[in-house]
Amino acid sequence: MLHFANAHIGHTHLLCQIPELELAQQGLYSLVGANGTGKTSLFHSILNEVPLLQGTVRLEGRSIHEMDRQERARTLAFVPSRFNGVQHLKGWDYVAMGRAPHTNFLGQLNPEDRQRVDQVFDQLTISYLKDQDTSQMSDGERQILSIAQAIVQEAPLILLDEPTAYLDYPNRIRVLETLAQMAQKENRCIIQSTHDLELALCYSEHFLVLRNKQLKLLSNQPIPLQRETLLQEAFGTDFSSPKH
Amino acid sequence: MRRSYLFALLSGLLILLLLLHLFNGSWDWDFKTLLKSLTDFDISNTQEVIFREIRFPRTVTAILAGAGLSIAGLLMQTYFNNSLAGPSVLGISSGSSLFVALAVLSGWELLNTAHSLVFAALIGAFLFSLLILFFSAFVRSAISLLLIGMMLGSFTSAVIQVIQLGTHAERLKSYLLWGFGSLQQNSFEQLGLFFLVFLLACASLIFLIKPLNLLVLGEKQARILGTNIALNRMILIAVASVFAGLITAYCGPISFIGLAVPNVVRQLYRTKDHRYLLLGSALFGAITLLICDLVIIYVEPFLLLPLNAITALIGAPVVVWIILKRF
């Protein structure tokens, strides 16, 4: 589905080098690695916010960086780690912005667009947020709305930048459950970057580990990944894990 | 529902004020005279001359200037994601003033005709918009950008003062009068160009509606949702500069309208949909400037108020209210 070919990632100097990697299966992927290893840069490179130093990234066989804007927006969705809300912007209107890559130059929503938006609110059981002002919601509610926006965008690949970083424990579980469900039901490839390894081990099928300028794919199924293995892969052998 | 009511209410109010402004104090005049003065003008008829050369241009100028400044303010507030942005705050009007000052005060005769004044104001507005855009690439904080805009304003007024020192008294007088802001400097003949450029700028707003609605989420997210930011940023700055420069050329620097009106409109409409915000800002901006000018007309027998004094008297408290609400 997502395919890296000799991709060199970084702003001015090389942060990560991916000779050949294919994310063949749909599912929830967790991108882990120490601070400063380039998780955010990897996302920005896939999103074409920062050009690749070298190589290509393909989605379903087509180079992401050669698509035009609208097309790329229909293929790729991005959820920032925090949406602070905008005064007077209602929940429904915020989610409906995800339809932008599918609408005409005036941004008019047709009945199918509206139906799709309503459907997502039902699916995530958050219909009570439709008419609320996004600036007055809790962080958890806003995070779910951001995910809803990415879902109505109908992109096969969704990137989330630390979606649980600002959330309390119940909301973290809620967000991860939602993501895992979406990946399963709608056959999408969802990649979240995270530092929350324990929860990620519970919910994600695959891990992408960034360390020493290398990106490594580890599978959490059918055989569950050991916590110690993951910690070692991500942070090295000199890392001492917390005592129980 | 709320939006339709608001639209009807604002339109009604606009028409009422328009009539009040156009026929102020002389209700015995009728539409027939007005129409005749515009279509089949008879120069020996005093009423027709007053209508054609004084009343009609002043009313039209008030409506266009109020609407245009408010739209320019809304565009800048959305783009910079800052409800205290506006053509006068960010120094765009200062740019126009500087170039108009250069044109008027230099006494370069070629630059002294009405059209070249407009041209000078447009160039000034556009150059200073680009300057602000350039600074905005380096300063991320909204407050810093406003401070830079204020510094641009102080700097240009200092430059203008220096130019004034070596200027002939007559030219100085005409520049100072322009600087007070006035809706009476337009003749019927000049309105044509004003109106045409205004319409062109309004027409290009259609292409900005979708990008503006997405820019509410910030540049990055708008880009990821498929917006061509580089292109739309240029269109947006060009349109805002045309509005600000055009109006500054014809009416002098008018402060506060562009800053205050979009904020009031957002509170009234309670939406982020720019189809409504643009229309609302245009309507409410026209209404506000008509009210300001009516105040001038009504107190004229007692004292001669400059337009800029009125807009500041009304605008400054509104701005303080915005700040108190936000912080």
Side-chain angles (χ1 to χ4, degrees):
Chain A
M1 191 159 189
L2 186 67
H3 180 253
F4 297 89
N6 192 28
H8 288 211
I9 282 150
H11 291 254
T12 45
H13 60 280
L14 184 73
L15 275 170
C16 166
Q17 194 177 342
I18 313 166
E20 182 82 37
L21 186 71
E22 167 106 47
L23 310 189
Q25 288 165 305
Q26 283 116 352
L28 177 58
Y29 291 77
S30 288
L31 173 64
V32 299
N35 287 329
T37 43
K39 296 189 293 295
T40 308
S41 298
L42 176 65
F43 277 177
H44 280 173
S45 293
I46 298 174
L47 289 163
N48 206 30
E49 286 286 293
V50 175
L52 286 175
L53 296 175
Q54 202 185 309
T56 47
V57 179
R58 288 197 195 85
L59 186 64
E60 290 176 337
R62 297 175 50 234
S63 165
I64 286 178
H65 309 94
E66 281 161 17
M67 295 178 187
D68 72 55
R69 268 168 250 278
Q70 290 270 321
E71 215 185 338
R72 186 162 50 235
R74 267 173 260 165
T75 321
L76 251 175
F78 175 73
V79 178
S81 57
R82 192 174 204 175
F83 165 55
N84 287 317
V86 175
Q87 204 193 4
H88 301 315
L89 182 65
K90 300 269 193 294
W92 196 91
D93 294 318
Y94 174 63
V95 172
M97 284 176 174
R99 294 303 296 169
H102 303 273
T103 59
N104 63 7
F105 78 102
L106 285 172
Q108 281 169 316
L109 298 167
N110 60 29
E112 290 97 81
D113 291 323
R114 292 174 181 282
Q115 206 189 337
R116 186 78 190 91
V117 176
D118 285 330
Q119 206 183 322
V120 169
F121 274 97
D122 289 342
Q123 204 178 343
L124 301 180
T125 60
I126 47 167
S127 294
Y128 69 102
L129 291 175
K130 278 182 187 174
D131 281 324
Q132 274 189 33
D133 194 319
T134 48
S135 66
Q136 281 160 14
M137 295 176 183
S138 72
D139 278 333
E141 289 169 334
R142 282 198 282 253
Q143 195 59 269
I144 293 282
L145 273 190
S146 296
I147 293 167
Q149 191 195 59
I151 293 170
V152 299
Q153 207 174 325
E154 292 189 326
L157 175 64
I158 303 178
L159 307 177
L160 303 98
D161 186 16
E162 298 189 29
T164 54
Y166 295 98
L167 303 182
D168 60 19
Y169 201 73
N171 271 314
R172 284 175 193 211
I173 292 172
R174 190 179 172 203
V175 163
L176 282 170
E177 261 174 7
T178 309
L179 291 177
Q181 259 180 31
M182 285 302 130
Q184 284 288 317
K185 271 194 211 158
E186 312 208 346
N187 287 331
R188 295 189 210 226
C189 178
I190 301 181
I191 307 178
Q192 65 144 351
S193 68
T194 187
H195 289 294
D196 213 337
L197 301 188
E198 274 80 7
L199 274 178
L201 277 167
C202 300
Y203 289 99
S204 61
E205 285 102 342
H206 313 278
F207 279 86
L208 289 164
V209 183
L210 246 178
R211 187 169 165 250
N212 294 336
K213 299 187 179 178
Q214 304 290 321
L215 186 67
K216 200 168 171 185
L217 178 64
L218 300 173
S219 201
N220 193 25
Q221 62 167 25
I223 309 147
L225 204 60
Q226 288 301 305
R227 183 170 163 276
E228 296 303 319
T229 323
L230 182 63
L231 284 174
Q232 287 223 338
E233 289 286 352
F235 306 110
T237 41
D238 51 343
F239 168 78
S240 66
S241 60
K243 304 269 184 297
H244 288 281
Chain B
M1 269 323 263
R2 182 189 168 83
R3 285 168 195 156
S4 328
Y5 281 134
L6 261 172
F7 178 68
L9 187 75
L10 291 179
S11 308
L13 198 59
L14 178 63
I15 291 168
L16 192 75
L17 287 164
L18 186 156
L19 293 176
L20 204 61
H21 191 265
L22 195 59
F23 294 101
N24 65 81
S26 20
W27 291 101
D28 50 326
W29 294 9
D30 51 46
F31 277 105
K32 227 187 253 167
T33 330
L34 173 64
L35 269 179
K36 193 168 166 293
S37 76
L38 297 179
T39 52
D40 182 21
F41 178 49
D42 174 12
I43 198 156
S44 61
N45 185 329
T46 333
Q47 271 198 352
E48 285 188 24
V49 173
I50 292 176
F51 249 137
R52 185 188 168 94
E53 292 301 329
I54 299 172
R55 295 269 163 98
F56 182 74
R58 186 168 178 170
T59 306
V60 172
T61 307
I63 292 172
L64 297 188
L69 285 174
S70 309
I71 291 173
L74 177 66
L75 294 181
M76 312 204 84
Q77 285 172 17
T78 301
Y79 178 70
F80 290 112
N81 200 2
N82 183 344
S83 55
L84 291 178
S88 52
V89 191
L90 289 180
I92 313 302
S93 305
S94 311
S96 294
S97 296
L98 178 64
F99 276 68
V100 168
L102 284 173
V104 176
L105 299 176
S106 69
W108 190 17
E109 289 306 321
L110 192 79
L111 279 174
N112 247 330
T113 63
H115 289 292
S116 55
L117 211 66
V118 175
F119 196 58
L122 287 182
I123 290 182
F126 197 67
L127 281 182
F128 273 57
S129 303
L130 288 180
L131 205 59
I132 279 290
L133 209 59
F134 171 76
F135 283 125
S136 75
F138 298 101
V139 282
R140 278 280 146 233
S141 136
I143 300 295
S144 312
L145 199 66
L146 293 181
L147 285 174
I148 289 178
M150 280 173 62
M151 291 307 115
L152 275 181
S154 309
F155 187 78
T156 47
S157 50
V159 171
I160 292 170
Q161 277 172 4
V162 172
I163 303 174
Q164 282 173 350
L165 286 176
T167 313
H168 195 273
E170 271 304 302
R171 293 206 182 99
L172 193 59
K173 193 182 155 206
S174 70
Y175 175 74
L176 286 179
L177 283 177
W178 174 85
F180 284 136
S182 162
L183 302 172
Q184 302 159 58
Q185 288 158 351
N186 275 346
S187 68
F188 183 77
E189 282 67 32
Q190 280 177 325
L191 275 187
L193 181 70
F194 188 17
F195 193 61
L196 189 74
V197 179
F198 184 89
L199 274 189
L200 282 176
C202 281
S204 45
L205 289 175
I206 293 175
F207 298 99
L208 285 177
I209 291 173
K210 186 178 178 183
L212 282 169
N213 283 342
L214 292 174
L215 271 170
V216 164
L217 300 180
E219 260 188 42
K220 185 178 162 195
Q221 204 61 21
R223 191 163 39 227
I224 288 164
L225 285 168
T227 314
N228 185 342
I229 292 290
L231 174 70
N232 283 300
R233 179 198 291 138
M234 282 321 280
I235 300 178
L236 192 146
I237 287 298
V239 172
S241 307
V242 165
F243 277 123
L246 185 74
I247 292 156
T248 308
Y250 279 107
C251 315
I254 302 175
S255 52
F256 287 107
I257 298 284
L259 165 56
V261 168
N263 281 293
V264 178
V265 169
R266 265 196 292 270
Q267 296 298 327
L268 279 177
Y269 276 81
R270 291 192 205 142
T271 179
K272 279 285 174 184
D273 188 337
H274 282 73
R275 281 176 302 171
Y276 301 107
L277 291 180
L278 284 167
L279 189 65
S281 294
L283 283 174
F284 198 74
I287 289 172
T288 312
L289 207 55
L290 278 175
I291 292 176
C292 290
D293 202 40
L294 275 171
V295 172
I296 294 179
I297 289 171
Y298 286 132
V299 301
E300 216 161 23
F302 318 108
L303 79 164
L304 207 67
L305 276 175
L307 183 60
N308 249 334
I310 298 282
T311 54
L313 279 175
I314 300 175
V318 173
V319 172
V320 172
W321 167 72
I322 296 162
I323 295 171
L324 286 178
K325 251 187 84 99
R326 270 184 66 109
F327 300 107

